[in-house]
Amino acid sequence: MTFLELAETLEQTGAESVPPYRVEQIFSWISRGALSFDRMTDLPQAWRRELAGRFSIRGSRVSGRLDDPDGTSKLRFTLTDGAVIEAVLLASEKTGPDREPGRSYTACLSTQAGCPVGCVFCKTGSLGFLRNLDTFELTDQFLALSDLVRERNGGSCRISHIVVMGMGEPLLNLAALRKALAILCDPRGFGFSKRRITISTSGIRAGILELAEQGPEAELALSLTTAREDLRRRLMPGAGENSLEDLKEALKIYQEKTGRRITLEAVLLGGINTGAGDARALAAFAKGLKAAVNLIPWNPVPGLSFGGEKIREPPAAETGRFRRLLEQEGIQVTGRYRRGRGISGACGQLAGS
Ligand code: SAH
Ligand code: SF4
């Protein structure tokens, strides 16, 4: 529930009117990780009993956890209907201008159980699509990852960034995502900063336009993968309906409305989308947009193939050459983490295993 929904619900169910500071107390307790109403020691006993009888805090059960020596942890959640999803906690490196001293963390959240887009290089895509996640199933992921941070660092550390880059296509579940982010950004709760949230999409044109009009405010990353139309259609079957021309036009509208830079993500598939022609096409797509390109060498997923051949990770030399070709075209390029590989917690490896 958002703060307003919580206030209205308490108002409707309670016999007497609920003072706003009570709503704030409950909202704040939940944000600070309280798992039961019993813990809310500044509420009257009778209230706590009554609330416990009526409501539940968190509906998703953490049913598994894996820790990678590189600092990444992955949680598996078993949802009320038995669906299984995963969320990842990444230890941020102390680089970049907005990193605060000490370790901070990035939460990577899932928005769907499975994914309907069906990218051939992605483990989640190979699972098929089960359903959209509910708002509470999104906030539950964040809360459980926050528990993990508290457990590790005794309260001295926090999650500083959210990336909506886990399982599923966020722009196909935009209403639930919008509400979850509104809850997380509410200053009466977590007060999470909007500037530190990134949504990654496979490129849903209608969703990008809706984002421009109605938010949620966040950084946007587009998983371009390749700027060769025919190849993109084969690699990302469910995203291919949005032609590259339409997509670019939507991104331009988004940029005009929001003034934001965007990131173009390209997962590099050895020998498939890493040639000189691919680099030229990518650079041409990026031109005219305020965009940087983020290269992600493919994280291995056993059993995935394309055109009858096993997909393979590009060797470092192949990635390096591709990067230089883009830079020669004047494109700003960044490289992406491979962290979490030891626990199948890196990009494209999430399945709920
Ligand atoms: N569905 C959204 C967000 C989740 S996927 C999207 O596609 O953008 C997050 C990123 O992981 C995407 O950029 C995707 O291209 C990339 N990805 C998928 N499978 C991968 C793999 N096996 N190795 C590396 N990156 C992968
Ligand atoms: Fe879905 Fe993103 Fe995986 Fe494609 S890369 S199948 S859009 S989760």
Side-chain angles (χ1 to χ4, degrees):
M1 288 183 200
T2 61
F3 187 88
L4 191 65
E5 285 171 335
L6 181 62
E8 282 169 1
T9 308
L10 291 173
E11 201 69 60
Q12 281 159 16
T13 50
E16 47 195 314
S17 91
V18 181
Y21 78 93
R22 289 292 185 209
V23 186
E24 265 174 53
Q25 283 171 325
I26 299 170
F27 200 73
S28 154
W29 273 112
I30 294 173
S31 307
R32 281 180 284 142
L35 287 168
S36 75
F37 292 102
D38 228 29
R39 285 273 311 280
M40 304 185 178
T41 44
D42 50 7
L43 294 182
Q45 277 280 1
W47 269 64
R48 285 186 249 165
R49 262 199 311 278
E50 178 139 359
L51 287 168
R54 277 211 191 116
F55 303 104
S56 65
I57 305 175
R58 300 198 207 180
S60 324
R61 187 169 61 84
V62 176
S63 56
R65 167 177 169 182
L66 287 170
D67 299 313
D68 191 299
D70 73 3
T72 308
S73 291
K74 182 168 82 164
L75 293 181
R76 179 185 59 195
F77 298 83
T78 301
L79 307 178
T80 42
D81 62 350
V84 172
I85 56 154
E86 295 182 328
V88 180
L89 185 72
L90 298 128
S92 305
E93 283 149 20
K94 282 189 281 179
T95 52
D98 67 340
R99 297 277 192 261
E100 282 151 26
R103 239 178 180 198
S104 64
Y105 290 90
T106 295
C108 177
L109 307 183
S110 294
T111 51
Q112 298 182 313
C115 182
V117 180
C119 302
V120 301
F121 46 82
C122 171
K123 178 73 190 178
T124 308
S126 74
L127 300 175
F129 176 59
L130 197 57
R131 67 170 173 89
N132 272 338
L133 299 187
D134 210 327
T135 299
F136 77 90
E137 292 166 332
L138 293 167
T139 50
D140 278 357
Q141 294 173 56
F142 184 87
L143 284 165
L145 294 175
S146 302
D147 292 345
L148 214 58
V149 171
R150 258 193 303 276
E151 176 195 310
R152 274 201 207 163
N153 298 81
S156 63
C157 234
R158 56 197 187 83
I159 296 173
S160 62
H161 291 74
I162 293 176
V163 293
V164 187
M165 295 189 184
M167 299 167 74
E169 169 47 55
L171 299 192
L172 293 178
N173 191 13
L174 200 46
L177 177 63
R178 180 178 296 123
K179 195 164 141 188
L181 295 181
I183 292 169
L184 296 178
C185 292
D186 192 318
R188 293 162 291 195
F190 297 99
F192 206 88
S193 162
K194 290 173 184 148
R195 284 173 297 118
R196 294 176 177 201
I197 300 173
T198 303
I199 299 172
S200 174
T201 177
S202 60
I204 309 295
R205 188 185 133 82
I208 294 170
L209 295 174
E210 191 181 326
L211 209 57
E213 289 288 341
Q214 301 171 39
E217 275 178 65
E219 301 297 322
L220 182 64
L222 172 79
S223 300
L224 186 60
T225 313
T226 173
R228 281 162 53 198
E229 188 102 53
D230 52 333
L231 180 61
R232 191 167 195 270
R233 211 161 264 160
R234 290 167 65 209
L235 290 172
M236 307 174 72
E241 309 160 3
N242 302 267
S243 76
L244 285 174
E245 200 185 324
D246 285 353
L247 215 49
K248 189 163 175 177
E249 189 210 61
L251 291 172
K252 279 190 173 154
I253 295 171
Y254 172 88
Q255 293 203 308
E256 271 162 32
K257 285 249 182 239
T258 64
R260 290 173 187 274
R261 286 178 68 78
I262 54 166
T263 303
L264 300 173
E265 301 164 281
V267 48
L268 296 181
L269 313 167
I272 295 175
N273 64 348
T274 54
D278 297 279
R280 273 194 302 275
L282 200 60
F285 187 89
K287 278 176 193 161
L289 294 168
K290 285 176 281 175
V293 172
N294 190 202
L295 299 179
I296 318 169
W298 186 66
N299 293 309
V301 180
L304 296 189
S305 59
F306 178 67
E309 283 194 44
K310 281 205 171 87
I311 300 178
R312 58 178 178 80
E313 183 184 353
E318 192 173 322
T319 302
R321 194 185 56 223
F322 193 74
R323 181 179 184 139
R324 279 191 299 281
L325 287 169
L326 285 176
E327 283 169 345
Q328 280 162 18
E329 299 270 352
I331 306 295
Q332 189 197 333
V333 186
T334 57
R336 170 84 67 90
Y337 29 78
R338 339 149 80 74
R339 278 172 291 145
R341 274 192 180 191
I343 52 171
S344 287
C347 298
Q349 296 183 316
L350 301 187
S353 49

